């Protein structure tokens, strides 16, 4: 596959872009990557490719644009079937889609509420995040990964969001490992994987980015 | 077609349950339907969807599946005839995109029309019109989202046809018209004529009353 066929419009700290990068790495697909200047000025290609949301990630395959990261990961799995990211049985696939949807609806916003607020609002946001992680621990059960023995779809959807946890912990004054040890163990397991370790930004750098965002939002 | 123990937990006014009923009908799957009392949810519902405790829930071979779009994909994968999703991965991505767009953008705006008053209501109506106009672009000039015949995105979105008409009448606001959104207006007519799509639409007058009552209750809470 020629490298020029697959292009990712990216922003380094976006966990949603990381999902796409990890999925492509797992499939061994070569691609080009173009960093977007989210604050300075989005590229014309981005605005044309994703006119509705105007966000990254956008994946262009043979010039055809796709947006929304979970949708893109689905596309990657269906276009390059090996190794499969979704499990084999229809029921297990439904469970995987359910958890991916749950993560999309809840996790990033709950984390955002922690660093964007203070006092009682922040305490409520922390409680919510921990409840979400406990639900995810329930979904994980005794398995190594959400799909079972192998790293797969839900793991890819979830793991990039954990790079922001260091920032949530600092601003919210709590510790994910203490509250949700099973989730923390799963996180470490995924971080040991090459596709994940090579893709994810350093949580310290994410913390600096979030600190900057807090200043921009006037939160101190 | 024997459903091998398929049961659906639903609610008559839920557009999400409607999606699943339409999908099961399109596939010709026999199933047992259980109408839920949302004020007194059944143990089956609470066990079947412990995270959200919402309808619809599909029960099949002793397992439960929740979230309507997840259920649609499950149905499409288990019963492969009359496929809902297209074969091509890019077209599948497009179908999923539009189904999600409706849930993320249209639903909150249409809910806002029911729950808000005054300026906030105007804002919701404006947003709903904007999102419906965007939705029209998803048709890409075709008769329906699935191309020439009803597919995944049409099943996911069909309820909008009905709900928009209902809200326009119930609250005397303009959300869609022939001039501004001719293609979407044509799609609405097409969908509302389809025997499968319209079979499970709730009784119109009952839905209008239900929505008006809901609005009264919610806006009374707000102003108190």
């Amino acid at each position: 596959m020629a490298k020029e066929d697959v292009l990712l419009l990216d922003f380094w700290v976006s966990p949603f872009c990381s999902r796409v990068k990890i999925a492509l790495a797992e499939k061994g697909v070569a691609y080009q990557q173009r960093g977007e200047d989210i604050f300075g000025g989005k590229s014309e290609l981005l605005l044309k490719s994703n006119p509705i949301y105007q966000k990254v990630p956008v994946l262009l395959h043979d010039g055809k644009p796709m947006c929304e990261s979970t949708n893109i990961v689905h596309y990657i799995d269906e276009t390059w079937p090996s190794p499969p990211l979704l499990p084999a049985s229809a029921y297990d696939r439904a469970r995987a889609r359910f958890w991916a949807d749950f993560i999309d609806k809840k996790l990033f916003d709950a984390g955002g509420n922690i660093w964007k607020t203070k006092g009682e609002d922040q305490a409520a946001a922390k409680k919510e995040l921990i409840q979400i992680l406990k639900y995810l621990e329930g979904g994980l059960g005794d398995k190594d990964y959400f799909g079972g023995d192998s790293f797969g779809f839900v793991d890819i959807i979830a793991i990039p969001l954990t790079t922001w946890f260091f920032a949530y912990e600092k601003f919210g004054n709590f510790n994910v490992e203490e509250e949700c040890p099973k989730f923390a163990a799963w996180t470490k397991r995924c971080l040991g994987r090459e596709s994940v370790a090579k893709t994810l930004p350093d949580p310290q750098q994410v913390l600096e980015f979030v600190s900057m965002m807090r200043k921009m939002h006037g939160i101190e | 077609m024997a459903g091998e123990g398929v049961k659906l937990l639903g609610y008559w006014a839920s557009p999400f349950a409607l999606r699943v009923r339409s999908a099961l009908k399109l596939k010709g799957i026999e199933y047992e339907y259980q109408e839920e009392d949302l004020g007194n949810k059944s143990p089956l519902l609470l066990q079947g969807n412990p995270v959200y405790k919402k309808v619809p829930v599909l029960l099949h071979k002793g397992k439960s599946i929740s979230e309507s779009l997840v259920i649609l994909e499950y149905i499409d994968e288990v019963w492969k005839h009359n496929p809902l999703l297209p074969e091509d991965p890019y077209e599948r991505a497009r179908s999923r995109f539009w189904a999600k767009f409706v849930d993320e953008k249209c639903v909150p705006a249409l809910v806002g029309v029911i729950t808000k008053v005054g300026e906030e209501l105007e804002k919701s109506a404006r947003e709903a019109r904007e999102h419906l106009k965007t939705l029209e672009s998803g048709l890409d000039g075709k008769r329906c989202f699935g191309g020439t015949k009803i597919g995944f995105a049409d099943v996911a979105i069909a309820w909008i046809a009905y709900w928009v008409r209902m809200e326009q009448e119930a609250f005397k606001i303009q959300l869609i018209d022939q001039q501004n959104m001719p293609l979407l207006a044509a799609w609405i007519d097409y969908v509302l004529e389809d025997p499968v799509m319209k079979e499970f639409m709730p009784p119109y007058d009952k839905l209008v009353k239900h929505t008006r009552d809901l609005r009264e209750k919610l806006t009374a809470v707000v102003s108190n």
Side-chain angles (χ1 to χ4, degrees):
Chain A
M1 165 125 352
K3 214 173 185 190
E4 309 80 59
D5 293 344
V6 184
L7 172 64
L8 172 67
L9 305 182
D10 176 47
F11 184 52
W12 70 274
V13 80
S14 158
F16 308 104
C17 294
S18 293
R19 288 171 170 178
V20 177
K21 289 185 265 194
I22 294 170
L24 290 167
E26 287 287 320
K27 300 282 188 175
V29 172
Y31 64 98
Q32 276 195 329
Q33 185 176 306
R34 210 178 285 180
E36 286 285 332
D37 183 2
I38 299 297
F39 299 112
K42 294 171 182 175
S43 75
E44 256 194 66
L45 183 60
L46 173 58
L47 298 176
K48 199 177 81 172
S49 305
N50 189 1
I52 292 170
Y53 295 114
Q54 300 185 355
K55 284 181 173 177
V56 289
V58 172
L59 189 75
L60 293 116
H61 184 201
D62 292 335
K64 291 190 289 200
M66 263 152 296
C67 55
E68 296 300 285
S69 58
T70 302
N71 209 9
I72 297 173
V73 173
H74 236 136
Y75 174 84
I76 290 169
D77 201 29
E78 290 176 349
T79 304
W80 295 280
S82 174
L85 301 178
L86 276 171
S89 88
Y91 176 69
D92 289 337
R93 292 157 80 87
R95 291 311 291 158
R97 290 181 178 124
F98 175 86
W99 286 118
D101 176 72
F102 175 80
I103 290 162
D104 279 348
K105 280 187 167 93
K106 306 265 184 188
L107 193 48
F108 197 62
D109 284 349
N113 287 336
I114 293 176
W115 65 260
K116 284 176 190 167
T117 64
K118 292 197 298 204
E120 261 180 51
D121 289 339
Q122 193 186 62
K126 252 187 336 198
K127 207 167 157 214
E128 205 200 334
L129 183 82
I130 290 162
Q131 178 59 65
I132 290 165
L133 296 184
K134 290 214 183 294
Y135 272 128
L136 290 176
E137 284 185 328
L140 194 54
D142 292 323
K143 308 190 293 290
D144 278 350
Y145 301 103
F146 282 93
D149 296 328
S150 337
F151 181 79
F153 192 82
V154 179
D155 308 289
I156 293 176
I157 296 303
I159 194 66
L161 295 164
T162 68
T163 56
W164 286 59
F165 284 14
F166 185 52
Y168 305 155
E169 287 171 325
K170 276 275 168 297
F171 291 119
N173 193 26
F174 71 110
N175 184 279
V176 169
E177 185 157 10
E178 265 167 35
E179 304 279 353
C180 305
K182 212 199 269 189
F183 188 86
W186 164 84
T187 304
K188 285 201 182 88
R189 197 173 298 128
C190 291
L191 291 174
R193 205 166 169 84
E194 195 183 338
S195 64
V196 176
K198 281 195 167 167
T199 298
L200 294 186
D202 179 355
Q204 179 62 43
Q205 290 187 311
V206 176
L207 172 63
E208 283 162 25
F209 176 81
V210 174
S211 300
M212 178 199 71
M213 292 285 283
R214 271 169 67 98
K215 288 200 181 79
M216 266 172 64
H217 277 73
I219 306 156
E220 279 302 70
Chain B
M1 156 148 330
E4 309 149 12
V6 182
K7 187 168 179 163
L8 175 65
L9 310 179
Y11 179 63
W12 69 274
S14 161
F16 308 105
L18 171 65
R19 288 171 164 168
V20 179
R21 299 196 80 172
S22 302
L24 290 167
K25 180 75 183 188
L26 281 170
K27 298 272 191 179
I29 298 159
E30 276 171 29
Y31 63 99
E32 193 193 326
Y33 177 73
Q34 179 170 305
E35 174 74 11
E36 285 286 329
D37 174 0
L38 298 184
N40 184 20
K41 293 173 181 176
S42 73
L44 208 50
L45 174 56
L46 299 174
Q47 277 157 33
N49 189 357
V51 173
Y52 296 113
K53 305 179 175 58
K54 287 183 175 178
V55 294
V57 173
L58 189 78
L59 301 154
H60 183 219
K61 292 183 172 169
K63 303 226 166 106
S64 61
I65 302 113
S66 28
E67 288 304 292
S68 57
L69 297 181
V70 174
I71 297 172
L72 290 191
E73 297 232 25
Y74 176 82
I75 290 170
D76 213 25
E77 288 185 353
V78 173
W79 294 277
K80 295 192 195 299
H81 60 284
N82 294 354
L84 298 174
L85 276 168
E87 264 194 49
D88 173 63
Y90 182 71
E91 292 304 320
R92 291 163 78 89
R94 276 179 51 87
S95 298
R96 288 175 177 134
F97 174 83
W98 287 110
K100 259 287 141 136
F101 172 81
V102 158
D103 282 0
E104 282 178 6
K105 296 287 187 184
C106 301
V107 167
L110 292 173
V111 168
V113 166
I114 298 173
T115 58
K116 304 207 161 112
V117 287
E119 260 185 51
E120 294 273 290
L121 165 60
E122 293 290 335
K123 184 163 170 254
S124 287
R126 239 187 347 261
E127 279 171 9
R129 278 194 294 271
E130 254 173 54
H131 297 321
L132 289 169
K133 185 70 189 161
T134 304
L135 184 61
E136 188 182 53
S137 70
L139 282 169
D140 208 18
K142 303 200 208 72
R143 180 163 67 175
C144 52
F145 290 93
T148 48
K149 72 177 192 122
I150 282 177
F152 183 87
D154 301 283
V155 173
I157 301 168
W159 63 274
I160 283 233
Y162 199 73
W163 257 254
V164 162
R165 285 229 174 128
M166 183 273 295
E167 284 193 0
Q168 287 186 153
E169 179 177 313
F171 306 123
K172 308 278 179 257
I173 50 160
Q174 176 99 68
L175 293 174
I176 185 166
D177 64 56
Q178 292 280 17
Q179 273 190 319
N180 283 342
M181 304 171 209
L183 289 175
L184 195 66
W187 173 80
I188 285 178
D189 287 339
Y190 178 69
V191 152
L192 292 179
E193 286 305 305
D194 185 280
V196 173
M197 291 297 110
K198 72 181 180 187
E199 182 169 346
F200 304 106
M201 303 272 184
Y204 191 72
D205 292 339
K206 193 176 174 194
L207 188 66
V208 168
K209 179 173 188 311
H210 170 81
T211 312
R212 280 197 176 132
D213 289 348
L214 190 62
R215 178 176 167 72
E216 248 182 64
K217 199 165 74 179
L218 292 171
T219 53
V221 167
V222 164
S223 51
N224 287 340

